[in-house]
Amino acid sequence: MQKGKVSIQFEKPPVIAGMACVAGKKEGQGPLGSGIDVIEQEDMCGEDNWEAAESALQKKAANLVMKKCGAEPKDIRYLFGGDLLGQLIATSFGVASLEIPLFGLYGACSTMGEAMTLGAMTVQAGYADQVLSMASSHFATAEKQFRFPLAYGNQRPFSATWTVTGCGAVVIKKEGHGVAKITGVTVGRIVDFGLKDSMNMGAAMAPAAVCTIRQNFEDFGIDETYYDRIITGDLGQVGKRIVLDLLKEEGYDISSCYMDCGIEIFDKDKQDTHAGGSGCGCSAVTLCAMILPKIQSGEWKRVLFLPTGALLSTVSFNEGQSIPGIAHGVMIESI
Amino acid sequence: MQKGKVSIQFEKPPVIAGMACVAGKKEGQGPLGSGIDVIEQEDMCGEDNWEAAESALQKKAANLVMKKCGAEPKDIRYLFGGDLLGQLIATSFGVASLEIPLFGLYGACSTMGEAMTLGAMTVQAGYADQVLSMASSHFATAEKQFRFPLAYGNQRPFSATWTVTGCGAVVIKKEGHGVAKITGVTVGRIVDFGLKDSMNMGAAMAPAAVCTIRQNFEDFGIDETYYDRIITGDLGQVGKRIVLDLLKEEGYDISSCYMDCGIEIFDKDKQDTHAGGSGCGCSAVTLCAMILPKIQSGEWKRVLFLPTGALLSTVSFNEGQSIPGIAHGVMIESI
């Protein structure tokens, strides 16, 4: 069960029973548009403010994935979820009406990895038959909170990413039919290389991704050849290069199987998103709109899904602190 | 293992191997002072800002509880922790140097309950031999973030609470010697009665506490007579009365065994803390300074420890949203 230093191998792998994602118009116009279940045509989602709009994404994704799995809220024993906002208000106001017992999580943009890790651990141990794991972000709530007012129209450097408006949700169950299984997890630790540029979060998070990938290889006695794909969360163009370079220094060349959700979700040339997508919703939506469908179809057999988070706040940033990173690895394989 | 609708009963109860708490000068002068391991004489803890001070509390508490348990950071497989600050910066910057794989949690002031619940689930399932569960708050970081600048010297209504400066940490292990055992947990769900007064959080959280207490009774087929004490986190004087009243309406009179950490940690008459203490650190410090010692000494045999959280942020509050509450119940019994 415990595997190596920080990983867990599931003897009877929990099953991802189904997935659903809801995203914004821009995400719908991107390369993954056809895989997104619901594309909101306006970013306010019919609500009064951006935060309520993000909550609406959560509620919609949760209800949709349950519907797809033929489950009611009462059939879901626990919900593992989070978002980027201070005090997790997108989640709290989004899922409250479901009345499912809640574990609120914060791992910045690694939250989907944390939610799936704890969800899989919970069902494999027999604590629940079915759980819901989910994470969201919204361009407007994140910009407002972390950067500048939208109306300010500030310029962004090319290393900056574009926060994804979207929510991805999966139902994880102990056994039975489903789209994929979770065979193991590698829990991330905080890695801080001292970077301080909040407009280059890919660089700040890349060392954490490298740490978790290497740890996953060591704990399971494998290397990159074990996987069809190793997919980080939202490192973008800059972070991707750093991951490849740092791992090469350690003797691993993952270039043939490496992808990043932030690069997949937007069209760099046509969508003006610079280094790529980011936010909890970036990896969560890419998981549901592309990764799981490709595993389900048999195109990929084994994927290391690795959402990456930058553990800063505007307060820590303005006080001159660095940007620590974390990445949680989830091994997803075909059934 | 699953017990009733939302609870878990541990067949081989995980053991709380040890506890440690670090708190501020005001907390040290309160009724629990003699039980607090380290009392900081100045609230900046030698750091440059309040957030770094709260991180220092976390680091000190984590190192102290490991020392008490004869453990090194490498012996702790996972850390479950959180705080009240946006993006959990007190935790991220507090525990980074320990290099323990981290599950970041946000349950507002219920975080210690969430951390112990997930910690106990993890060790009982065999995913780890030892884990660290902890939570912190700091009067100055919380005031700055949620209320007014300290220098403003605003008046507080009598229903307001005083955020505890402190951190409590426990090591939970699978078996062996220790100070107490965790026999079960009841995971809380969000309960929102529509209250909007952020200066009366006790009232906002009380319905969530009632929900979890009643659910705990139902799931385990017990009532208040099972426990020596039922102890909520930080409802204070106002919330306490509401809990007693609401439960009485449902046929439970818990008045003879009911306590609240927020009421225990400060001397209402001498310390000008109005309704009592609050913050993640309130229940975490009271657990380590009073509850666990009394269980260890045999004075109490069975306690339902029930940290309570108010899931608001300044953004949700200013947008006119209500204050949802959540409470996680941890059944702690003598070994």
Side-chain angles (χ1 to χ4, degrees), chain B residues 8-64:
Chain B
I8 294 167
Q9 184 170 37
F10 296 119
E11 282 147 30
K12 291 179 185 168
V15 169
I16 298 175
M19 68 283 190
C21 60
V22 180
K25 189 173 177 181
K26 190 180 181 85
E27 290 70 22
Q29 291 165 341
L32 308 188
S34 64
I36 297 171
D37 294 293
V38 179
I39 298 166
E40 295 288 344
Q41 288 308 311
E42 60 99 25
D43 283 348
M44 204 67 115
C45 306
E47 300 291 332
D48 289 337
N49 55 61
W50 300 121
E51 291 74 20
E54 189 176 338
S55 291
L57 297 176
Q58 288 227 1
K59 194 173 175 178
K60 227 175 242 191
N63 279 315
L64 185 57

Side-chain angles (χ1 to χ4, degrees), chain A:
Chain A
M1 197 89 92
Q2 290 177 32
K3 190 81 179 173
K5 222 166 138 191
V6 308
S7 300
I8 295 166
Q9 184 170 38
F10 296 119
E11 281 147 29
K12 293 179 183 168
V15 170
I16 298 175
M19 67 284 191
C21 60
V22 180
K25 190 174 177 181
K26 190 179 182 85
E27 289 71 22
Q29 292 166 340
L32 306 188
S34 64
I36 297 171
D37 294 294
V38 179
I39 298 167
E40 296 287 344
Q41 289 308 311
E42 60 98 25
D43 283 348
M44 204 66 115
C45 307
E47 301 291 333
D48 290 335
N49 55 60
W50 301 120
E51 291 73 21
E54 189 176 338
S55 291
L57 297 175
Q58 287 227 1
K59 194 172 175 179
K60 227 174 242 191
N63 279 316
L64 186 56
V65 73
M66 286 190 284
K67 194 177 164 192
K68 282 182 168 186
C69 296
E72 301 282 328
K74 66 171 173 47
D75 304 323
I76 305 294
R77 198 167 172 96
Y78 304 120
L79 194 159
F80 297 86
D83 58 83
L84 285 178
L85 303 185
Q87 290 73 45
L88 293 198
I89 52 170
T91 302
S92 295
F93 290 97
V95 304
S97 64
L98 302 176
E99 300 193 348
I100 302 170
L102 172 71
F103 290 103
L105 310 178
Y106 186 78
C109 309
S110 75
T111 300
M112 192 61 178
E114 184 179 351
M116 293 174 72
T117 296
L118 288 169
M121 286 164 63
T122 297
V123 297
Q124 147 98 14
Y127 298 133
D129 297 323
Q130 287 190 99
V131 302
L132 187 51
S133 296
M134 58 193 296
S136 74
S137 54
H138 191 298
F139 175 74
T141 60
E143 282 294 309
K144 171 182 163 184
Q145 179 181 259
F146 288 109
R147 292 168 177 160
F148 297 98
L150 289 180
Y152 195 74
N154 71 302
Q155 279 202 314
R156 295 170 305 117
F158 284 111
S159 59
T161 47
W162 186 280
T163 306
V164 165
T165 297
C167 177
V170 296
V171 168
I172 302 173
K173 62 179 184 179
K174 201 168 178 183
E175 54 204 354
H177 295 290
V179 302
K181 62 188 179 186
I182 299 175
T183 53
V185 293
T186 299
V187 184
R189 65 174 176 85
I190 297 175
V191 179
D192 190 346
F193 271 28
L195 275 77
K196 295 191 174 186
D197 180 1
S198 74
M199 289 292 180
N200 189 358
M201 305 240 259
M205 295 185 284
V210 167
C211 173
T212 303
I213 293 170
R214 187 188 47 216
Q215 195 66 53
N216 179 265
F217 289 173
E218 285 177 17
D219 283 354
F220 288 90
I222 56 179
D223 62 19
E224 67 280 1
T225 60
Y226 181 83
Y227 295 108
D228 293 299
R229 289 291 183 281
I230 294 173
I231 310 178
T232 49
D234 56 350
L235 299 184
Q237 304 287 352
V238 178
K240 179 179 180 174
R241 282 203 306 276
I242 298 173
V243 164
L244 290 174
D245 288 348
L246 287 178
L247 280 172
K248 201 165 272 178
E249 281 177 20
E250 307 198 22
Y252 299 109
D253 179 2
I254 68 165
S255 57
S256 62
C257 67
Y258 177 55
M259 294 169 74
D260 180 71
C261 298
I263 297 174
E264 298 303 316
I265 199 165
F266 290 125
D267 185 318
K268 183 177 177 283
D269 300 322
K270 294 183 191 153
Q271 294 194 289
D272 189 35
T273 47
H274 295 355
S278 61
C280 304
C282 179
S283 57
V285 168
T286 305
L287 175 78
C288 298
M290 185 188 77
I291 301 171
L292 290 175
K294 281 188 191 286
I295 294 173
Q296 189 175 19
S297 75
E299 187 176 338
W300 296 336
K301 299 266 183 254
R302 291 166 173 170
V303 168
L304 178 59
F305 176 59
L306 205 89
T308 36
L311 301 171
L312 82 167
S313 81
T314 49
V315 175
S316 69
F317 178 76
N318 287 327
E319 287 175 347
Q321 295 272 29
S322 54
I323 304 174
I326 193 164
H328 297 293
V330 184
M331 300 163 80
I332 308 175
E333 308 195 11
S334 56
I335 288 177

Side-chain angles (χ1 to χ4, degrees), chain B residues 73-335:
Chain B
K74 66 173 172 47
D75 304 324
I76 306 293
R77 198 167 172 95
Y78 304 121
L79 193 159
F80 298 86
D83 58 84
L84 284 179
L85 303 185
Q87 290 73 46
L88 293 199
I89 51 169
T91 302
S92 294
F93 290 96
V95 304
S97 64
L98 303 176
E99 300 193 348
I100 302 170
L102 171 71
F103 290 103
L105 310 178
Y106 186 78
C109 309
S110 74
T111 300
M112 192 61 179
E114 185 179 350
M116 292 174 74
T117 296
L118 287 168
M121 287 164 63
T122 297
V123 298
Q124 146 99 14
Y127 298 132
D129 297 323
Q130 287 190 99
V131 302
L132 186 52
S133 297
M134 58 194 294
S136 73
S137 54
H138 191 298
F139 175 73
T141 61
E143 282 293 308
K144 171 182 163 184
Q145 178 180 261
F146 289 109
R147 292 168 177 161
F148 297 97
L150 289 181
Y152 194 75
N154 71 301
Q155 279 202 314
R156 296 170 304 116
F158 284 111
S159 60
T161 46
W162 185 281
T163 306
V164 165
T165 297
C167 177
V170 296
V171 167
I172 302 174
K173 62 179 183 179
K174 201 168 177 182
E175 54 203 354
H177 295 290
V179 302
K181 61 188 179 186
I182 300 176
T183 53
V185 293
T186 299
V187 184
R189 66 174 176 84
I190 297 175
V191 179
D192 190 346
F193 271 27
L195 276 76
K196 295 190 173 186
D197 181 1
S198 75
M199 290 291 181
N200 189 358
M201 305 241 259
M205 296 185 285
V210 167
C211 173
T212 304
I213 293 169
R214 186 189 47 217
Q215 196 65 54
N216 178 265
F217 289 172
E218 285 177 18
D219 283 355
F220 288 89
I222 55 178
D223 61 17
E224 68 280 1
T225 59
Y226 181 82
Y227 295 107
D228 293 299
R229 289 290 184 282
I230 294 172
I231 310 178
T232 49
D234 55 351
L235 300 183
Q237 304 286 352
V238 179
K240 178 179 181 175
R241 282 202 307 275
I242 297 173
V243 163
L244 290 173
D245 288 349
L246 287 178
L247 279 173
K248 202 165 271 179
E249 281 177 21
E250 307 198 23
Y252 299 109
D253 179 1
I254 68 165
S255 57
S256 62
C257 65
Y258 178 54
M259 293 169 76
D260 180 71
C261 298
I263 297 174
E264 297 303 316
I265 200 165
F266 290 125
D267 185 319
K268 184 176 176 283
D269 300 321
K270 293 184 192 153
Q271 294 195 289
D272 189 34
T273 47
H274 294 356
S278 61
C280 304
C282 179
S283 56
V285 168
T286 304
L287 175 77
C288 298
M290 184 189 76
I291 301 171
L292 289 176
K294 281 187 189 288
I295 294 173
Q296 189 175 18
S297 75
E299 186 175 337
W300 296 337
K301 299 264 183 256
R302 292 166 172 171
V303 169
L304 178 60
F305 175 58
L306 205 90
T308 36
L311 300 171
L312 83 165
S313 81
T314 49
V315 175
S316 69
F317 178 75
N318 287 328
E319 287 174 350
Q321 295 271 30
S322 54
I323 305 174
I326 194 164
H328 297 293
V330 183
M331 300 164 80
I332 308 175
E333 309 194 11
S334 56
I335 289 179

